[in-house]
Amino acid sequence: MLIGVFDSGIGGLTVLRALRQAWPGHSTIYLGDTARVPYGTKSRATVVRYAHQIADHLLAEGIELLVVACNTASAYALEELQGLPVPVVGVIEPPARAAARATRTGRIGVIGTSATVASGAYERAIAALAPDATVHSIACPLLVPLADEGWEGTDVAREVARRYLEPWLPGRPDRPDVVVLGCTHYPVLRDALAEVLGHEVTLVDSAETTPRAIAPLLEGASTEPEPTHRLILTDGAVGFAATTRRWIGEPAPAVEVVDLEPQGSGQVRR
Ligand code: DGL
């Protein structure tokens, strides 16, 4: 099966990597919208439009399953993408399910982009699975550029995380026992986040939970002896390509660059 995976940028590579490890017999196409990242500060209407453009591009490439490996796009556009002719899977339900299962105190924390937190998507997903749980969310927008820069193991990353997560530190009344890393960049920062929160707090993320969630969709699909893997970005700046190689592990496929908004396609929206 050819699996399409997309993200606003390169964070979704954490999901791609986990998918490829879990399902090695399937081909993948990853599209990172590096020309328009971040999505986390944009409006629902813009994110939905971008998600449709990407889905159309990947459908034209022949994908048979679409994984929306971006929490922001999953929060804002998943419902809108359900009408596509292939199954579409987001990255919010799988960690929400894992969090609902793991909590003992019923206090679940969620961190994500401003858009993901504003959307309330995790609150809704968790409420459907664990109606008695309370969910407290914190937007952590500065964590994304830190991960992109490769600063995940630095004191700066730990200090930024500490500032954001202050309401959840030991002794605070809202301290959760499970925290959802609700952004596909955050698995890269897992060690720093665990250090700040304390190792007794369980961390769950989209990368570790999504591969299992697509199992029913892959059942019966034939595997390929030599699956292929393509990486497409909408901007091929050197930094993105270098981080892509670092995150995906070797050997990384060559990066292809596409333009999803060809010249002349612009229209004035009123
Ligand atoms: N990949 C995005 C997410 O998971 C974070 C980066 C962005 O703001 O676009 O929400």
Side-chain angles (χ1 to χ4, degrees), residues 7-8 11-12 37-41 69-72 113 116 144 182-185:
D7 179 42
S8 56
V37 70
Y39 284 11
T41 50
C70 173
N71 279 267
T72 306
T113 64
T116 298
V144 167
C183 171
T184 50
H185 273 76

Side-chain angles (χ1 to χ4, degrees), residues 81-100:
L81 295 175
Q82 292 302 333
L84 296 182
V86 299
V88 182
V89 177
V91 289
I92 286 182
E93 217 262 353
R97 189 171 289 281

